[in-house]
Amino acid sequence: MDVSQILASQASKHKSILVEKELSLDVDAAFLTVTDPNTTDKESYDQERETYLQANARDGVQLLIAALFSLPTLSSPEGPLAQLPAPTTQLPRAKPLPKPKPLTKWEKFARTKGIRSQRRDRKVWDEERQDWIPRWGWKGKNKDEESQWLHEVPANADTNYDPSKEARVARKARVAKNENQRLQNLARAQQGVAVNSGAHADRKKKEIERSLVTTRASTASMGRFDRMLPGEKKPRGLKRKFDPIEQSLDAEKSANLALIKKLGSGHSSMKKARPDTGDGDRDGNVLNVRKAVRFASNGQGAAALAYKSGSEVKKKQRGRR
């Protein structure tokens, strides 16, 4: 029985594992990709597009599978696993590489001293509750001193000493200190990148002080009963300016004349009957001129007040002479 024709027909169905191309294909087993640098045959593509694309895809998959089977393998319960090599294709990035984060003051000190920092867990074990509780935050471990039922009171404590309040104030001070250190680390990091100039350093210092004052004033008492940190300056407020008690004769005279002129300008309108609301005059002024004149002159009126202030000025002038 001649089976040569049967074998020939079966061999025609199975293509060879060898791929012949004008230019060799680039196979990257790490990314499981195959790149074909050959040009597209326009005639074959226009005549039988699907057949042409399937043939190119078959050649690429054949080379990729042959490359994977040539790699070293590891045994596993699921079967042999191929050890992929390092990638050879350099993929472009959408954005540049991130710059290394600048070290804080503590990180620099720990690196010079060889100290290894260990990341603390968010939850700690509480012996009294026999449960894991948060280290900070709501029902945190750092609030045990504020909520405990027994406190040790110092011998020299004041009669209004509140241990829970003192513990809360100390915790708030620690929070403010940590925030201050964080802002200082940010300022040092920005100074390392930017140009170190006097104006830049002053501006950053003012921003840190402003942030610290805002943080301290975020409590219920607006920071009035919070303890000051060591080395912290007292926040500056608005200074009120008062006139000196002893003034020159000309300054006092001009002030009295200005008051008399203001009172005299409203003298004609005061004669008209107006309803007294008690909250000011009808023009919307906060000061009720009629009541002010009546109070200053003991009910005698604006003319008597002007005469009295003029006589006082003359007496002072005679006494100084």
Side-chain angles (χ1 to χ4, degrees):
M1 181 178 180
D2 189 7
V3 295
S4 58
Q5 295 181 355
I6 299 175
L7 294 176
S9 61
Q10 292 293 331
S12 62
K13 295 179 181 180
H14 300 284
K15 296 183 178 180
S16 175
I17 60 175
L18 299 178
V19 178
E20 296 181 357
K21 292 281 188 177
E22 295 181 0
L23 299 177
S24 59
L25 305 183
D26 298 331
V27 181
D28 192 349
F31 292 147
L32 303 180
T33 57
V34 179
T35 305
D36 189 358
N38 296 283
T39 57
T40 303
D41 189 359
K42 191 174 185 312
E43 295 181 359
S44 302
Y45 180 79
D46 294 339
Q47 291 178 1
E48 298 181 359
R49 179 182 303 177
E50 295 296 332
T51 304
Y52 180 78
L53 294 177
Q54 289 179 3
N56 286 338
R58 180 263 168 197
D59 294 340
V61 173
Q62 179 63 53
L63 290 178
L64 179 60
I65 293 175
L68 291 177
F69 273 93
S70 63
L71 296 175
T73 58
L74 292 175
S75 60
S76 67
E78 289 79 9
L81 300 177
Q83 296 182 356
L84 299 179
T88 58
T89 305
Q90 295 183 358
L91 299 179
R93 289 180 56 90
K95 296 181 179 180
L97 291 173
K99 297 180 180 179
K101 188 177 180 180
L103 300 178
T104 61
K105 189 175 181 180
W106 163 250
E107 291 175 349
K108 292 180 181 178
F109 175 77
R111 177 170 293 185
T112 55
K113 298 296 182 180
I115 302 175
R116 295 183 179 180
S117 59
Q118 296 180 356
R119 187 178 182 84
R120 296 191 301 177
D121 297 333
R122 180 174 174 79
K123 292 188 176 183
V124 293
W125 177 257
D126 191 0
E127 295 292 342
E128 296 181 359
R129 306 176 189 176
Q130 293 295 317
D131 192 9
W132 293 93
I133 62 174
R135 189 182 296 272
W136 54 81
W138 186 62
K139 294 184 179 181
K141 185 69 175 177
N142 59 340
K143 297 181 182 178
D144 288 348
E145 297 182 0
E146 304 175 20
S147 59
Q148 63 185 5
W149 64 275
L150 182 63
H151 294 271
E152 182 179 359
V153 181
N156 58 349
D158 191 14
T159 55
N160 298 326
Y161 179 78
D162 189 355
S164 300
K165 185 178 179 180
E166 293 294 331
R168 184 176 181 276
V169 169
R171 179 173 60 84
K172 291 290 184 180
R174 291 194 298 269
V175 173
K177 181 181 178 181
N178 293 335
E179 181 66 16
N180 187 16
Q181 291 179 351
R182 185 184 70 84
L183 295 176
Q184 289 180 358
N185 290 329
L186 292 177
R188 279 192 291 268
Q190 291 181 2
Q191 286 180 1
V193 177
V195 180
N196 293 327
S197 59
H200 180 76
D202 294 340
R203 181 170 57 84
K204 290 301 178 182
K205 184 177 180 181
K206 291 180 180 179
E207 290 180 0
I208 293 174
E209 292 178 355
R210 192 182 303 111
S211 301
L212 181 59
V213 171
T214 306
T215 305
R216 291 189 62 85
S218 61
T219 58
S221 62
M222 301 298 291
R224 181 177 299 179
F225 304 103
D226 295 346
R227 293 181 179 179
M228 301 292 291
L229 298 177
E232 182 181 357
K233 297 181 180 180
K234 186 177 181 180
R236 297 180 179 179
L238 297 177
K239 294 184 178 180
R240 298 178 59 187
K241 294 183 179 181
F242 299 94
D243 295 333
I245 299 176
E246 296 182 358
Q247 296 182 354
S248 62
L249 183 61
D250 297 335
E252 188 175 359
K253 181 180 179 181
S254 60
N256 292 331
L257 290 176
L259 178 60
I260 293 171
K261 185 177 180 181
K262 183 176 181 181
L263 296 176
S265 61
H267 179 66
S268 59
S269 61
M270 283 189 294
K271 293 182 179 180
K272 299 179 181 179
R274 291 184 179 180
D276 191 3
T277 59
D279 297 332
D281 55 7
R282 278 179 141 183
D283 297 336
N285 298 326
V286 178
L287 176 63
N288 194 328
V289 181
R290 295 176 63 247
K291 284 189 176 182
V293 172
R294 189 186 309 164
F295 177 79
S297 62
N298 295 327
Q300 296 179 5
L305 179 62
Y307 178 77
K308 182 179 179 181
S309 39
S311 61
E312 290 180 356
V313 171
K314 290 181 180 180
K315 289 181 181 179
K316 289 184 180 180
Q317 290 179 353
R318 292 175 183 175
R320 292 181 180 179
R321 288 178 183 175

